[in-house]
Every structure is written in structure tokens, then in C-alpha cells.
Amino acid sequence: MAHDPVLALGLALLVVFLWLIALPIGMIVEDSFTSQPGDSARTGVADGAITGYYMSRALASRMSTILFYAPLWNTLLVAVCASALALVIGALLAWVLVRSDVPLRGWFAVALIVPYMLPVWTFALAWVTLFKNSTLGGQPGWAQALGAQPPDWLAYGAVPTIAILTLHYIPFAILIIGGALRRLDGQLEEAAQILGARRQIILWRIVIPALRPAVLSAGLLMFADAIGEFSVPYILGLPVKFETLSVSLFRAISTQQNGMAAVYAGAVLLIGVITLGIDAWMLREARRFTTVGGKGTITRTSPLHAARWPVFGGIMLLFVVSVVVPLVTLLLSTLMHIPGRFDAGNFTLDYWIGRDLPTVALPNGILFSSEFWAAAWNSVRIAGMAAVAAAALGLLVGYVVAHSSWRWLANALHAITFFPYLVPGIAFAAAILVLFAAPRGPIPALYGTPYILLLALIADQMPFASRVGISAMAQLGPDIEDAARIMGAGMMRRLRVIILPLMKGALATAVLLSFISGIKGVSLFILLAVPSTDVLTTFSLRLVDYGYAQAANAVVLVIALIALIGSLVMHRVAGPGLAAGL
Amino acid sequence: MPDIVIENLTKTFGKGHAVKDVSLTIRDGSFTCILGPSGCGKTTLLRMIAGLERTSAGRIGIGARVVDDAAQGTFVPPEQRGVGLVFQSYALWPHMTVAQNVAFGLRLQRANATARRARTDAMLDTLRITDLADRYPAQLSGGQQQRVALARTLALAPQVLLLDEPLSNLDAALRLAMRAELARLHREFGTTIVFVTHDQWEAMTLATDIAVLAKGEVQQTGSASAIYDQPASRFVAEFIGNPPINIFAAGSDAARALIPAGVADPARVTVGLRPEAMQLSTVNNGQSLAATVTALIPTGGSWVVEMALQRGGTPVLHTTLQRPALAPMQPVFITPQKEGTHFFAPDGRCLPDLSLRSKETSR
Ligand SMILES: Nc1ncnc2c1ncn2[C@@H]1O[C@H](COP(=O)(O)OP(=O)(O)OP(=O)(O)O)[C@@H](O)[C@H]1O
Ligand SMILES: [Mg+2]
């Protein structure tokens, strides 16, 4: 059926995704086994020939501990600790929010989600602002300004990284576990109660086992995300030489060690694939639990009695620590000449709206700085275009999957669009960089142009966008469209007049969510942006590197504001479930 | 009003057959029903006639034109076949009002605005949904949605109207109303109507011609009464009729008692007896089966008598319009009437000559 338009469309999409997703990943894996340009003296073989040099250097050389095992250990340490802590705290909070009579339950249910809507390195910058010590030069931290000298272990490295990631992931755990708890049929518990089981027993024998799939899944997803996390260890790790794999990857690329970068990317990728493989396998297992997903609507609340106000206090404290303190700290920091000195003369609006300041590079407050507006415009433009493009491609993927009589094509599209989900952003960015650093065939070298950011972001958003497209198309069913076809409406006409209007809601949701995640994303862009193509996130990290802490914090606040407003709009429009995204 | 000629039509999905070697002529002007149990391939057959599904083998002709011939590679796309299809789900476009739904096809045909409006109004009027013109499908009842779906399809004046389970979502009163409406449309528009259903009542009441389908194969074609009175196979006899025909297994005492003398291999013949084709009495007339009444079930206007044969076997059901003068646990004698007695070979085929012979012997 050469004239089958669905087949043609499907094949075209497949080619696009093979090029944009499979090819770069394949190339970076290949790079870790081929001698990179300029390395032949070390690898002992010609450029482009197969070599085990990078692997053995990383895994079995005198340098291995420093180069590979220490970052690997740090990565795993951070990921395991942060996800485990977030899981425990999140599960407790989920139970309190869903099942107890703690005051302001409904308000907390939204307020505690806020840290997940903010870019995670907002917290890192706030932490630095507060706890920076003299190990790092430049302006002092607040604690230092107030006369304390925070020890290195508190100021930098593993402890703050874990603490910040934990705070960031707690909302995610609340969303997933709380959702499962809400769907858990209250009758299950009542059935046990009637049989005479005490509350303790019900909790341990009924509730916890029934929630196990959701809890484990939440844990694995957080773990996979933490493995690829770049910005927090990048900001907090440097002064104490604390590196995770993603930071090592970044450094390898910045120093043109492409072979080593490929090895790091491969390691991160492998951990991601294994983790999510376990998750997928467990989800399949979990289908056997039909309980979660039942439609138990009546959830009884358990009175906390005397513990009611202490629990309330605890949650309020968490809210203050994870939302109020970081945001207020950042905000105040952008208003002070010298950090941590709280006297009237020290406050200023210069960093926002000043002009002709006596600094080397950034003579104007960010609101009057052309670099800021250029970066903001880039952010909005790239995230917006990528969000629309990804949603449109997702819709087309959904269309082909729903209509193609060629199962292999549907399966291939399904699988390949999901793949970027398994690949942490920074590894994917490294892969994209390999593909687009040099001209290939008809495609010119895209490094240094905004297009590379755009393409990377589109590919990165495909897992989510294609899931939205597929499920929306599946809900639509074929009849609606066949009814138009039988009257003579061609495929494009049907897409425009029938499918698109019906998908408006789903598409708008997908576009907005993709946009938010594009605006606050950093690990995907940090390798790909150059100063002239900076987006807000990379611009702010550049400011951090230059030591312009106030300006960096101001930019981060702007990003946080955009992300927060977008998420709240989303929350209003689509409900909290969707805000969790993927 | 074109004939639809289907020859040796087969459709396979992967390894399984959805439709298998179906040959069927749908007469010009007939109101044909394709009747069969769920999953027997009815929708698939209809979609192939409409052109929404390609055939795997065989031919479909509409009027003088071959619209699909797998061997020749002929395939006329759906919009060029002059067919209209009303989907089982109605498939109304939820983002368009009733009027927009009806006008959409006309818009595709590039009818000008005035002609479009006139035609739409006429259709809404015909189906008596003019006051619903500005509503969205979600604001309509099932019966109203169905009228919109019909109006939308009829607006294009298809030569062939295909209906997929058209009445299945309606209550009894609406069914009767819609049945009358469909019959009127049939007359008024002179359309060849084909509809599929698994509901024998729908088929018997609406159709002039019925084709019984099972596992993708045509079992029997004919008028409703012909199919009821002269089933071609045990499947058809059992599928049609409510309550279903009583079956006496081959070799059972009851079957032996009912098979006329002189049959070569009576132990291999299964006997079916329609529930209405029997007389009950309290005295044994020599030819009857002894049984005990187990239940009397009122079914609104008629009665079902449930009995257990004294020699055992499955319960026997009898329907009657009069209230039976019987009580549970009372012994009765069943006298079968020859018109409702059918004999089946081990492969399920009906043995009509045996039925004939049994009629003769009874005279
Ligand atoms: N697209 C398809 N792919 C694979 N198998 C299919 C497909 N469509 C139908 N079938 C199979 O073909 C058979 C006939 O399906 P069809 O929908 O025609 O049944 P039906 O008679 O309309 O049933 P119902 O009364 O339930 O609507 C079924 O066994 C079904 O599983
Ligand atoms: Mg059907």
C-alpha cells in the first residue's frame, strides 16, 4: 500500500526520531569505543579506530578512582539518600494530607507541591547565599556575615546536595503516594476492621502492601531523575571537589575530552535504563494488584487527637524551609549590596533596575540588561517552539499509532519516542552535541545556533508529548474520524477539522507542561548553549561562574516566577495529577 | 436503488478470519438485516461494504460497479461509493452542533451556503430534530443522537444506507418509533438499507431479508418467517427464537420418541422443538412425552411453562398465550406439533426430508 498516507506519515516520523533520538545516542556510545580526534597518541590507534582506551582509563587505571569510581559513588550516594529520604517523608506527608484531620489540609496539598514547580537549583543558590564560607572566594554568605563560619561539609558537597534534592522530591512522592492512597478503596480497610483487625495491623498488613507498587515506583523515578541531576552538584560540589557523573561529564566536554565524556554519558545512560527497566517491570507486576485504581471514594480521616497541632507545626516548618526560606533568601540577596548585612543603607534595587554600575561585565540591573532580555526571549522562544513542535509531533505519533495497521510501526514509534525518558538530560545533550557539532550530510553544524537547543528540547519532550497524543487518540476512537472519511474528508482535512479541535484540551496541557519544563530545564542546555544563545537558565549559571551572585539569583527568581505561575495555571486547568507530568 | 453483490468475501486479521467466504446478494430495495452473535464479523462486513476496510479476498459490487476486488486490486474509496454509514457509536462530532454535524458533509461537497442550509433544515425537519439544531451532541439523549446521526448520513442522499446496530441503545418504545421511522425513510428515499444486529427481535421486526452470520460465515438467508420456520441448521434454529428452541440430544429417550419410524440411524439425529409448537394435556395420548411442571413464569401477555421430562434431560420450555391451567409439580404430557419440530444431522445440518416425512405420517 504505497499510497497509504498513514504509513507514509508513520515512516516519516520514524525517520525523524531515528535521526533525532537513536542516532545521537548510538553515536555517543560508539564514541566511547573509538579514538577521538587528537587522542591517537594516547590511544595508540588512528583517529576513529576502535579502542578500549577510554573504558580502561575510566574503569581500570591508576586514575580510575578519581576519574570514575568517586563520581559514580557520589552519584549513587546522592541519588539513593535523596530518593529514600524523600520517599519516607513524602509517604508520611501523603498519609497526613489524605487521611488525617490536620488543619489546613487542602491548602497544604497545593502549597507543599510548590518546591517541585521551582527549578531545583533555586535551592542550591539559596543555600550558597546562606551558608557560603571562606573556602569559596568572593562575597561572603549570610552566615559568615553574621559571624558564623559554616563548616565545608555543611556548605558544600554531599550533605547540601542530598538535602536539596530531598526537598525537591518530597512533593513528587506526595503526589504519587497520595494519589494511590486516595484511590485505595476504603472498603479494604473496613473489611479488615470488621474482621477485628486493629489499626496497627491494618496499616502494616493492608495499607502498606497495597501501596507498595506506587511507593517503589515513586522511589525509582526519583532515583533515575537524581542520577542525571546536574545543576545542584555543579553549584555545590565545586569548592570541595565533589563531583557526580553528570558534573564529570560536563567537565570532560568543557575540556574537549570527548572520549571520556562518552564514557560518563554511557554510564549515566546505563543506570537510567536499568532503573526505569526495573520500574517498568514492577509496574507490570503491579497490575496484579487491582486494588490501587479501584474507585473507593469514601476515605475516612483518622483523628490525630493531641498530635494534631504538633503535626501541623511540623508541616508548616517544612513549608517554610522548602519554600519561604529559599525564595525570601534569594529575593533579599538580590536587594543587598553586601550579603547578610541587614542595615538600611545596604539595600538596593541596583541589581534589578540599576544603570551604569561599577562592575566589569554587567553594568546594568538585569531588567535593563540586554543579555537578560536576549536570554529571556531565547528561553521563551525555544521552550515555546519546542513545546508546540513536540505536542504536534506527539499528536501525529498518536494518530499513526491509533491508525496504522502495521503493528511494528506503531510499536517502533511508541518505543523510540519514549527513549529520551531513559536518558538523563545531560547525557542526551552530550549525545546531541556529538551529532550536531560537525556538519553531517545536508545538515550544517548546529552547535552555536539556537536550533541545537530547540532540537534537543523537542526530542527531550517527546516521551511526554507522545504519551499525551497516544492516549488522547485512543480515547477518541476510530469512528469519529471514519464518519468524516466516508463523506470524503481527506486525512489532512480530518486532522484539521475533526482531530485537532477535539484534542485542543490535551494539546494545550501538553504544550504548557512542556513549556514550563523547558523554561526551567538546565541540564539539557548547559552543554549546548553558548553565550550568544544563552537561555535564562544557562545565563544565570554563567553569572554564577562570573561571581555575580545577586544578578544570578535575580534571574533564577524570574525563572521560578514563570514556572510557578505556569504550574499554578496548569493546576487550575488540569488538576494536580497532571502537574506531576512524567 | 442498487443491488449489492458480495462474492466469496473474506477478511483476515493476522491469522484469524473475521469474515470467511461470504456470498450474499442484497436485493435492490430490500431492507436487509445481517444477524449474528457478538463477534461474528458483522461490523467488519459492513465496514468492507462501506470501504473503510480492505477485503482480503473476494469481490463487492454496488450496482453495476465493482467497488472492491482483492484479486484485481480494484478499490473504490469510501467517499466514492455512494454509501452512508451510521455507526454503532453514532460517532457524532462532539465539537460541532447538531446543525454543523448535518451540514459537514454538504460542506465537503462544496454545496453553496443557501443550498446547504436548505438541505440541513429539511433533514432536521424530516427527523424531527429542528429544535435541537444548536445543541451539542453531549446535550442530547441517545435516541436524539441517533436521529442526528441518521440526518447527517441521509443529508448526502446515499444510495446505500448501512446501519450498525441502529436500535441497540434505545428503549422499547423508542425502538418501535425508530423502526417506523426507518421504514418510512426506506420508502421515502428509496434507499437500499443494510443493517446489522445481534438482536433477533430487531431483525425480525425490521427486515424484509435476513442473513444469519456465525463465525464469519453465512448460515442462511431468507425472510424472517422462512428462517424461523425452516432453519437450515441447528445453529440457526437455536439462535433465533425466544425462548430458544428445545433441543433433545441425539440418542436420548425423548429424541427417539419424536423421530418418525423407519429412519436409518435414529440414534444420531438431534431433535428440536419450538416452545410454542406443543400441546400440554393431563392425559397420555400414546405419542406424548411425560413430564412434570416445575415452574409457571408470566412474561407479560404470555406464559412460559417450565417442565422436567420424566426420563431426565434438560428442562423443556413451552410458551402459550393463555394462562395455563397447571400447577407446579403437576404431571403433564407433551404432544409435539410437527410444524415446530426440526431434525438435525450430527454436523448440525437440518434434515428437511425427515421433517416432511414426519408431517406426512402425522396426517
Ligand atoms: N482491527 C481488527 N484487528 C483484529 N481483529 C479484529 C479487528 N476488527 C475485528 N476483529 C475481529 O474480527 C471478529 C469480528 O469482529 P466484528 O467487530 O466484525 O464483530 P461484530 O459481529 O460486529 O460484533 P459485535 O456484535 O460485538 O459488534 C472479532 O473476532 C474481532 O475480534
Ligand atoms: Mg459490531
Side-chain angles (χ1 to χ4, degrees), chain A residues 336-411:
Chain A
M336 287 195 254
H337 280 298
I338 299 170
R341 186 181 296 167
F342 291 89
D343 46 57
N346 191 33
F347 284 92
T348 174
L349 284 174
D350 277 356
Y351 298 107
W352 289 95
I353 52 171
R355 283 182 184 280
D356 303 320
L357 306 175
T359 49
V360 183
L362 205 67
N364 293 331
I366 62 157
L367 293 184
F368 288 129
S369 117
S370 59
E371 289 103 320
F372 170 78
W373 288 110
W377 168 232
N378 256 345
S379 264
V380 170
R381 191 167 54 144
I382 290 173
M385 274 162 48
V388 171
L393 284 171
L395 176 71
L396 292 179
V397 167
Y399 188 83
V400 172
V401 168
H403 286 75
S404 176
S405 42
W406 308 72
R407 281 262 57 99
W408 65 266
L409 182 60
N411 291 340

Side-chain angles (χ1 to χ4, degrees), chain B residues 197-211:
Chain B
T197 180
H198 62 254
D199 180 340
Q200 46 165 309
W201 188 87
E202 205 170 301
M204 304 296 260
T205 50
L206 274 174
T208 56
D209 295 19
I210 294 178

Side-chain angles (χ1 to χ4, degrees), chain A residues 479-480 482-483 488 497 501-502, chain B residues 47 79 89 92-95 152:
Chain A
D479 286 357
I480 289 277
D482 280 343
V497 183
L502 290 175
Chain B
R47 286 172 62 84
E79 65 272 16
S89 59
L92 298 178
W93 299 303
H95 59 302
R152 183 176 75 178

Side-chain angles (χ1 to χ4, degrees), chain B residues 42-43 88 164-165:
Chain B
K42 306 180 298 289
T43 298
Q88 197 165 353
D164 198 347
E165 314 223 3

Side-chain angles (χ1 to χ4, degrees), chain A residues 1 3 476 478-490 493 497-499 501-502, chain B residues 47 50-52 54 78-79 83 85 87 89 91-96 104-105 108 152 156:
Chain A
M1 274 192 241
H3 50 261
L476 211 55
D479 286 357
I480 289 277
E481 206 195 337
D482 280 343
R485 182 170 149 214
I486 208 171
M487 291 182 174
R493 180 100 182 215
V497 183
I498 309 284
I499 307 285
L502 290 175
Chain B
R47 286 172 62 84
L52 294 173
R54 301 284 297 245
E79 65 272 16
V83 298
L85 172 59
F87 291 79
S89 59
L92 298 178
W93 299 303
H95 59 302
M96 301 185 192
F104 183 74
L108 286 174
R152 183 176 75 178
L156 300 181

